[in-house]
Amino acid sequence: MLLSLHSFYIFALKVTHFSFVLILKARHIHIQGLVQGVGFRPHVHRLAHRFGLNGWISNAEDGVYIQIEGDEKQIAGFIETLESRPPKASLIHALTVQDTEPEQLKDFTIRKSKNLSDRITRVCPDIAVCEECLADMQAQPHRIRYPFTNCTHCGPRFTIIRTLPYDRPGTTMDSFIMCETCQNEYESVHDRRFHAQPVACNQCGPEYQLLDYDKPKQPLLGTQTIVAECCRRIEKGEIIAIKGLGGFHLMCDATNPIAVSRLRQAKKRDRKPFAVMMRDINATARFLLISEKEEEALVSWRRPIVLLRQRHQTGAGFPSDKKTFRLAGDINPGCATIGAILPYMPIHHLLFEHLSTPALVMTSGNLADEPIVIDNQKAHDTFRGMAQALVVYNRDIHNRADDSVVFTANDRQRIIRRSRGYVPEPVMLNFPVDRILATGAELSHCFAVGRGREAILSQHIGDLKDPETYAFFTESIDRFCELFRVRPERIACDLHPDYLSTRFAREQSLPVIAVQHHHAHIAAGMAEFNLEEPVIGICWDGTGLGSDGNIWGGEFLYADLETFERYAHFRYLPLPGGDKAAKQTWRTGVSLLYQAMGPDFLTLDLPFVDWVRKQQGFELLLQAVEKNLNTPLSSSVGRLFDAVAAISGVCTSNAFHAEAPMKLEALVSPSVGGHTMTSPEPGNGYAFGFDPNGEKLPQIIDTKPLVRELLSDLLDGQPVPVIATRFHNTLVAIIFAVAHEMKLRYNTKKVILTGGVFQNRYLLEQAEKQLEKDFTVYSPEKIPCNDAGIALGQMAVAARKSP
């Protein structure tokens, strides 16, 4: 049969169309990870259209499900792009693809979320406001200067969520009905606010109010009016209480010494450093030294507080048309770093647009050890007399979350406080921890719930000894178990029977696994880095009950996830008065001197000895040390820091947790008089020894030589920075020496450095550098090395125990 050219063309089109139908392929994709609240569904929708594919996507408790149909090559390109370039704040943990039958779909749609089972997907942490939203606040008529502007790429998440799936009815935005404009944006796949659950504008969203304590019945309304009034009051030196994402903050001008001093008096916070919010990265660089990694943390979507080194005051200023601003000296008395944070809410940016000062003190709105305040009425009552004005908004905070705190060491980010911006992102494990609840320790508290192979750590809870904090702890456990569909079957806790977290665990009528404190610290490091074989665990902190009934804290353990052997520890030091010694560091100083010299230390011509003789109760304390009365034994390196700080005149009492060690670290000088102090040369450290135990374990590290040489330096008039540096270098030398002996004994080269003492940047950096010459070294990065990370270790150990 002969065909004309026109007829042949029509025939070819039909064959091509018929062939396309025959090769139509379909895949069913299941994605687990951080995929809700990060713009994942609209991202997939746009990606499908880009590749010319049809199908659908739906949220469920265990992730997102995608049906994708079309050409085989286009599907492959779609999947590859989805894996390699997901939305900014998302994290894909598992992506499974199955062949399936085509549904002959004509478009790509977003389907209604579904509840399949008790399996859950991840909940997104809160995300700092993005640059696009800041631009919208200047350009979009319905969002001009709107202080709650957000989109699928930014805004509140964990702090507003009540239940899964993450849809508006399951959040504290449920009472705000979208206006027609916002509704259209929400429904338009081409809009950045497509299915952004907290979407709102000036017409339909939450609003701020400013309450003057002197005029309580005349609240100010309107963003522009409130911002202008806040700025006026801040410039006058007043203190403002303002509601943030995860709780209230108290703020004042960080360059106004009088305002900072008044804030200290109001909070009854004599010496603990304040965090400072800087206008932008350029302003931060005027005052503080910023490395590339530190800048990366500062500007990240998580927006933590980053501990940065200060510039010398002579060069640290922020010039303006009228004056040069300098940070008030009372922000961080005696410390070498300042906690800096960049604006992360629209209201922060609006304030800095009108303020002349480039820096604000932004400290947690709470009393002493109580949790950060989240309720408007409680804030009104709590901050009366502390602040001159209160700024609130009418959207509830469901999950409180303090600002997170990080620092960098050896160009790696380390977490001190893991809360807003990080929680509830889980730690992924290579073993199941399903239905295990780990109750953590007591100070710097966090708990954890286990789901599958995910350990979901709570936000920062605080000191459980405070009644309100304990109530927050129990409330948060209930909320986490409900939100993440966890029904605990086992509970892991600390070995200490008097910790409130341990008592809680034993009250739950469930099997309890008690885990030794320092073993849990090391196990947390092993879990983070997926280590299975035994390691050399070096765990230094302030306190933790040991298996011998004494207080541990200067430990060298050979450990795996099931058990440990105590290879070495620092010589036990009596703590006169027990818990009192943790605050009154001079007590520990007296004990250390007595251990090294006996009563002869009283003959030393040292300012500390003269001062301590005059302290009320000194004679009774000395008798207690001599007769071992109310003097529990401790191997803690944290207490050793306290003692050295006291003896050298740096700090004789801790006004806040770890003040003395922080001040001693601040004096460390890598170079003194042109001499490099960080090299392992003689004279850069002090002597130390070991008790003559032979092969008997544990080995005892003898600090008497260290103390005697340190006292000789003091008597010779050596500068305290030299003494502080030599002390730190000695600890590094001890780490290397003991680790080397453990390597020979156990034939392992993997070392974990953990415990709160390793929040000391100099000690951590130098220890890692020395050890990395012969060892593979690990130190926590995704979790804190302090007690806030201990729940992960408890959970890991419990997972290896028989149910």
Side-chain angles (χ1 to χ4, degrees):
M1 180 178 63
L2 296 175
L3 294 173
S4 66
L5 183 61
H6 176 74
S7 300
F8 180 82
Y9 178 70
I10 296 297
F11 176 75
L13 280 178
K14 290 181 179 179
V15 170
T16 303
H17 179 70
F18 180 70
S19 299
F20 175 75
V21 173
L22 285 179
I23 64 171
L24 181 67
K25 297 292 183 179
R27 301 285 188 276
H28 191 67
I29 305 171
H30 179 207
I31 301 177
Q32 293 173 289
L34 182 51
V35 291
Q36 290 190 0
V38 291
F40 202 88
R41 289 179 296 171
H43 174 79
V44 170
H45 188 287
R46 288 188 289 271
L47 201 60
H49 277 268
R50 172 183 156 190
F51 281 90
L53 301 170
N54 297 330
W56 51 259
I57 182 171
S58 176
N59 263 350
E61 280 84 351
D62 60 339
V64 296
Y65 288 87
I66 301 170
Q67 172 82 6
I68 198 76
E69 300 181 1
D71 177 73
E72 182 79 43
K73 289 184 179 180
Q74 296 300 98
I75 290 177
F78 168 86
I79 294 171
E80 190 279 327
T81 305
L82 183 58
E83 284 191 279
S84 62
R85 293 193 289 276
K88 177 179 65 174
S90 67
L91 182 62
I92 295 175
H93 168 57
L95 186 150
T96 57
V97 181
Q98 292 181 322
D99 291 338
T100 189
E101 291 298 316
E103 298 177 8
Q104 305 296 333
L105 301 166
K106 304 301 182 184
D107 200 354
F108 192 94
T109 59
I110 293 180
R111 292 187 173 178
K112 185 179 179 181
S113 300
K114 54 185 177 181
N115 189 331
L116 291 177
S117 67
D118 65 349
R119 294 174 296 171
I120 55 96
T121 189
R122 297 183 189 176
V123 174
C124 181
D126 299 279
I127 307 172
V129 60
C130 66
E131 293 297 325
E132 292 89 345
C133 281
L134 291 175
D136 289 345
M137 291 166 60
Q138 306 295 327
Q140 291 186 344
H142 57 304
R143 286 199 179 86
I144 295 296
R145 303 177 61 77
Y146 182 56
F148 297 94
T149 299
N150 67 86
C151 68
T152 55
H153 302 153
C154 71
R157 299 293 191 271
F158 171 66
T159 52
I160 65 170
I161 192 169
R162 292 193 183 105
T163 186
L164 288 172
Y166 176 66
D167 286 320
R168 196 175 181 107
T171 73
T172 58
M173 284 294 296
D174 61 342
S175 60
F176 298 94
I177 308 302
M178 282 183 268
C179 66
E180 184 178 353
T181 304
C182 286
Q183 188 72 41
N184 289 337
E185 293 171 334
Y186 182 86
E187 294 174 354
S188 172
V189 69
H190 303 294
D191 197 285
R192 205 176 70 255
R193 294 183 176 86
F194 180 52
H195 282 222
Q197 303 308 326
V199 64
C201 71
N202 278 308
Q203 278 69 52
C204 63
E207 299 174 325
Y208 277 102
Q209 282 189 359
L210 186 146
L211 305 171
D212 186 333
Y213 277 108
D214 293 332
K215 302 174 183 176
K217 296 184 179 180
Q218 301 175 30
L220 291 181
L221 303 175
T223 301
Q224 189 165 344
T225 303
I226 290 171
V227 168
E229 180 65 9
C230 279
C231 294
R232 185 185 70 81
R233 288 172 175 269
I234 290 169
E235 302 285 7
K236 278 179 57 182
E238 293 188 4
I239 299 167
I240 308 278
I242 185 168
K243 190 173 183 179
L245 265 183
F248 278 81
H249 288 94
L250 290 168
M251 65 179 180
C252 71
D253 183 357
T255 67
N256 185 330
I258 296 174
V260 174
S261 177
R262 289 178 59 228
L263 181 54
R264 283 209 174 278
Q265 294 170 16
K267 283 205 74 175
K268 296 180 173 61
R269 183 169 166 170
D270 291 340
R271 302 194 294 266
K272 190 174 182 179
F274 285 135
V276 177
M277 179 172 282
M278 300 290 185
R279 176 181 296 162
D280 51 33
I281 196 70
N282 293 328
T284 310
R286 292 277 188 172
F287 296 107
L288 307 168
L289 299 169
I290 312 173
S291 70
E292 184 177 333
K293 283 292 181 182
E294 288 166 338
E295 181 173 346
E296 185 180 302
L298 277 168
V299 302
S300 72
W301 61 265
R302 300 183 191 274
R303 281 295 197 283
I305 295 170
V306 183
L307 300 186
L308 301 174
R309 299 175 180 88
Q310 283 184 267
R311 292 186 182 276
H312 294 298
Q313 277 290 72
T314 53
F318 188 91
S320 72
D321 293 339
K322 297 181 180 179
K323 67 175 183 177
T324 296
F325 293 93
R326 299 192 187 282
L327 296 179
D330 202 24
I331 284 175
N332 64 332
C335 296
T337 60
I338 286 179
I341 187 170
L342 294 183
Y344 58 87
M345 293 179 72
I347 192 69
H348 300 152
H349 290 273
L350 291 174
L351 288 169
F352 278 115
E353 280 182 13
H354 293 84
L355 285 168
S356 60
T357 179
L360 294 172
V361 168
M362 193 70 74
T363 188
S364 298
N366 61 343
L367 293 176
D369 294 322
E370 291 183 4
I372 189 170
V373 176
I374 60 173
D375 178 74
N376 290 353
Q377 185 58 53
K378 182 174 177 58
H380 182 274
D381 298 340
T382 300
F383 303 130
R384 179 184 294 276
M386 298 174 65
Q388 285 69 60
L390 176 70
V391 180
V392 302
Y393 56 79
N394 58 340
R395 182 185 70 207
D396 288 340
I397 297 171
H398 187 68
N399 299 302
R400 59 165 53 86
D402 293 79
D403 292 327
S404 296
V405 182
V406 306
F407 72 103
T408 64
N410 290 328
D411 275 340
R412 296 197 294 277
Q413 183 176 300
R414 323 298 175 114
I415 302 177
I416 292 177
R417 184 168 70 197
R418 188 178 184 271
S419 206
R420 179 192 54 76
Y422 292 84
V423 173
E425 185 178 312
V427 176
M428 301 307 303
L429 306 174
N430 60 0
F431 53 87
V433 290
D434 201 41
R435 302 185 188 281
I436 298 175
L437 167 64
T439 60
E442 188 152 274
L443 296 173
S444 303
H445 183 272
C446 289
F447 63 86
V449 296
R451 196 64 183 145
R453 293 173 181 259
E454 296 183 350
I456 308 169
L457 275 68
S458 76
Q459 69 272 52
H460 170 73
I461 302 294
D463 179 0
L464 294 189
K465 290 180 181 178
D466 177 82
E468 289 206 26
T469 304
Y470 184 78
F472 172 36
F473 159 67
T474 58
E475 172 193 78
S476 297
I477 286 180
D478 290 342
R479 289 185 175 181
F480 265 61
C481 289
E482 180 180 356
L483 181 62
F484 298 110
R485 313 291 200 272
V486 172
R487 289 182 284 276
E489 295 179 353
R490 288 180 287 164
I491 302 184
C493 66
D494 194 90
L495 189 65
H496 201 305
D498 294 332
Y499 278 0
L500 292 176
S501 56
T502 303
R503 292 182 182 179
F504 172 88
R506 297 196 178 280
E507 291 169 358
Q508 302 311 305
S509 301
L510 289 170
V512 174
I513 300 97
V515 183
Q516 197 280 322
H517 190 90
H518 303 91
H519 184 208
H521 268 302
I522 294 164
M526 294 183 68
E528 177 182 336
F529 293 103
N530 293 319
L531 301 178
E532 291 285 345
E533 65 274 26
V535 300
I536 297 169
I538 302 173
C539 184
W540 292 359
D541 62 2
T543 185
L545 181 64
S547 51
D548 63 356
N550 292 320
I551 300 169
W552 292 8
E555 309 307 310
F556 293 83
L557 308 181
Y558 177 64
D560 58 21
L561 292 178
E562 295 184 36
T563 187
F564 67 91
E565 181 173 67
R566 194 184 192 195
Y567 177 81
H569 64 83
F570 282 74
R571 180 188 298 281
Y572 281 126
L573 180 70
L575 299 182
D579 288 345
K580 286 183 179 179
K583 291 191 174 182
Q584 299 174 6
T585 58
W586 63 271
R587 290 171 173 266
T588 316
V590 169
S591 183
L592 186 66
L593 290 177
Y594 189 90
Q595 186 180 78
M597 299 182 64
D600 290 347
F601 85 87
L602 293 170
T603 65
L604 294 172
D605 183 19
L606 288 176
F608 173 73
V609 174
D610 293 339
W611 177 86
V612 81
R613 282 176 172 275
K614 302 172 186 176
Q615 297 309 298
Q616 185 176 2
F618 170 69
E619 296 296 335
L620 290 175
L621 181 143
L622 198 58
Q623 291 178 29
V625 172
E626 291 172 341
K627 298 178 181 180
N628 295 318
L629 300 174
N630 190 24
T631 53
L633 299 177
S634 170
S635 63
S636 165
V637 175
R639 298 292 78 82
L640 181 61
F641 264 93
D642 286 347
V644 170
I647 293 167
S648 56
V650 174
C651 182
T652 54
S653 66
N654 279 323
F656 59 91
H657 180 65
E659 179 186 11
M662 287 171 62
K663 288 189 171 180
L664 199 62
E665 179 193 2
L667 292 169
V668 169
S669 179
S671 178
V672 178
H675 177 66
T676 301
M677 296 290 290
T678 55
S679 63
E681 298 175 8
N684 284 351
Y686 297 122
F688 61 92
F690 295 90
D691 280 4
N693 281 355
E695 293 295 314
K696 183 182 177 182
L697 297 185
Q699 296 285 303
I700 309 299
I701 301 163
D702 185 7
T703 55
K704 291 179 183 177
L706 182 160
V707 175
R708 290 169 185 150
E709 290 191 3
L710 185 149
L711 290 173
S712 178
D713 271 356
L714 283 171
L715 292 169
D716 288 345
Q718 284 283 2
V720 176
V722 171
I723 293 170
T725 307
R726 285 178 175 166
F727 172 67
H728 279 75
N729 290 343
T730 306
L731 295 180
V732 174
I734 290 171
I735 288 171
F736 188 80
V738 179
H740 180 71
E741 293 301 317
M742 292 181 73
K743 179 182 73 171
L744 296 177
R745 181 183 181 95
Y746 298 112
N747 192 29
T748 181
K749 298 181 71 174
K750 292 186 176 180
V751 175
I752 289 180
L753 300 173
T754 189
V757 168
F758 288 104
Q759 293 171 139
N760 182 313
R761 192 196 316 248
Y762 180 86
L763 181 65
L764 177 59
E765 288 184 336
Q766 297 306 315
E768 286 182 338
K769 288 175 181 177
Q770 291 298 317
L771 287 171
E772 284 170 354
K773 298 173 183 177
D774 294 303
F775 298 88
T776 302
V777 185
Y778 303 89
S779 187
E781 297 176 24
K782 295 180 181 177
I783 61 168
C785 66
N786 59 43
D787 281 4
I790 208 169
L792 176 62
Q794 293 172 345
M795 180 176 288
V797 173
R800 297 306 174 95
K801 303 287 186 181
S802 299

